[in-house]
Amino acid sequence: MSPETNLGADAVDHAIAKGVDLDGSPIPTAKLELYNQVMALEANRQRSGVSNTMRSRIVRIGAKHISQDELNQMLIDADFAPLKEKEIAFYYAGK
């Protein structure tokens, strides 16, 4: 894959669909099969709502880029629930 196709949220999904890593090397069959098996389970899981999923993604990804206090305030400002203790422990312990 070219460097510009390694950017954004869809880059990994596109690579997986092609069966190749972002560097162009093949993804081993056993890894692809396990990934597809688990994703099929997830695809069949009942959803609790878009807002909950949005918040989960914001926390999971935001914690990589945004300080705990700032992300917490951003969640509150957007009318999402603030960070939970378990999220703080998981995403921010050791930072």
Side-chain angles (χ1 to χ4, degrees):
M1 299 188 112
S2 63
E4 56 275 356
T5 59
N6 290 353
L7 302 175
D10 295 333
V12 171
D13 291 334
H14 290 297
I16 292 168
K18 291 180 179 179
V20 294
D21 206 325
L22 295 176
D23 65 3
S25 63
I27 300 170
T29 302
K31 289 182 178 181
L32 281 171
E33 287 174 356
L34 177 57
Y35 177 84
N36 288 327
Q37 179 184 355
V38 172
M39 292 303 106
L41 293 170
E42 179 66 10
N44 290 321
R45 183 173 63 88
Q46 179 67 39
R47 301 299 175 177
S48 59
V50 172
S51 187
N52 289 339
T53 300
M54 288 173 58
R55 186 192 174 283
S56 294
R57 290 177 181 176
I58 290 166
V59 171
R60 179 173 42 89
I61 296 167
K64 297 175 189 177
H65 306 282
I66 305 168
S67 73
Q68 176 185 329
D69 291 338
E70 187 177 359
L71 180 57
N72 193 52
Q73 189 59 55
M74 292 167 83
L75 288 167
I76 293 167
D77 291 347
D79 203 27
F80 283 110
L83 290 169
K84 301 170 188 169
E85 288 300 318
K86 68 180 184 177
E87 292 169 332
I88 294 168
F90 185 81
Y91 293 111
Y92 289 101
K95 280 191 179 182

